[in-house]
């Protein structure tokens, strides 16, 4: 009983920053990406549930740590890519930021990528963390 009380005191003293799943419109994010690709006669990206689940979990991971870092690309696919960002207020802003960056733009416009999934998480302080995952599927 004594140890249980000590454990409760220790746990109560911890401060954990909660992360909230951001209700983003992933279909709209995909539409914005495909609009950029379409303007260059590139094939449209297809929705991929595995990529979306991974992207959402990674966005939540980054938000929970308050740290913008690339993942280990732990999803299936022949060729893989990932865009991450933090602080953009919505889908339009993050897509614009990615298109303004050489490496991120290269992922969005990579004609070998056939599928994509997106995720976003908000910290308690309101900062949004974004993740887009891309791959080539046969």
């Amino acid at each position: 009983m004594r140890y249980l009380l000590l454990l409760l005191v220790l746990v109560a003293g911890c401060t954990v920053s909660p992360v909230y799943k951001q209700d983003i419109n992933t279909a709209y994010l995909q539409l914005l990406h495909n609009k950029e690709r379409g303007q260059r006669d590139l094939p449209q990206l297809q929705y991929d549930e595995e990529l979306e689940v991974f992207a959402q979990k990674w966005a939540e991971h980054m938000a929970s740590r308050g740290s913008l870092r690339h993942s280990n690309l732990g999803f299936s696919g022949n060729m893989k890519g990932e865009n991450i960002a933090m602080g953009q207020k919505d889908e339009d802003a993050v897509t614009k930021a990615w298109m303004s960056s050489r490496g991120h733009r290269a992922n969005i416009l990579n004609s070998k990528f056939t599928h994509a999934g997106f995720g976003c998480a908000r910290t308690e302080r309101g900062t949004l963390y974004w993740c887009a995952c891309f791959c080539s599927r046969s």
Side-chain angles (χ1 to χ4, degrees):
M1 183 67 163
R2 210 165 157 186
Y3 296 109
L4 181 58
L5 285 174
L6 178 60
L7 179 61
L8 288 173
V9 169
L10 289 173
V11 170
C14 292
T15 57
V16 176
S17 178
V19 172
Y20 305 97
K21 180 178 186 286
Q22 178 64 20
D23 290 324
I24 61 166
N25 186 338
T26 57
Y28 182 56
L29 253 178
Q30 184 172 338
L31 177 76
L32 291 172
H33 281 61
N34 281 331
K35 180 180 174 187
E36 295 291 345
R37 291 169 68 94
Q39 291 172 353
R40 294 153 183 89
D41 294 322
L42 296 170
Q44 299 290 284
L45 293 167
Q46 302 300 310
Y47 168 79
D48 189 285
E49 185 176 3
E50 178 191 8
L51 296 179
E52 187 134 314
V53 167
F54 186 89
Q56 182 58 45
K57 286 182 181 179
W58 191 251
E60 291 172 9
H61 173 82
M62 290 187 297
S64 71
R65 285 163 175 69
S67 176
L68 191 64
R69 292 188 178 189
H70 283 284
S71 73
N72 64 357
L73 299 177
F75 51 85
S76 63
N78 297 328
M79 194 175 156
K80 302 175 188 181
E82 175 184 73
N83 286 351
I84 58 174
M86 67 174 263
Q88 292 77 12
K89 65 179 180 163
D90 59 29
E91 297 89 343
D92 290 299
V94 75
T95 301
K96 183 178 179 180
W98 282 334
M99 287 301 292
S100 298
S101 162
R102 178 184 278 173
H104 295 107
R105 179 184 177 97
N107 277 339
I108 293 170
L109 301 180
N110 188 327
S111 63
K112 294 181 181 175
F113 289 145
T114 59
H115 291 74
F118 306 92
C120 183
R122 180 186 301 273
T123 67
E124 188 176 46
R125 293 185 178 199
T127 304
L128 295 178
Y129 283 79
W130 301 85
C131 183
C133 295
F134 308 92
C135 78
S136 172
R137 300 222 191 267
S138 303

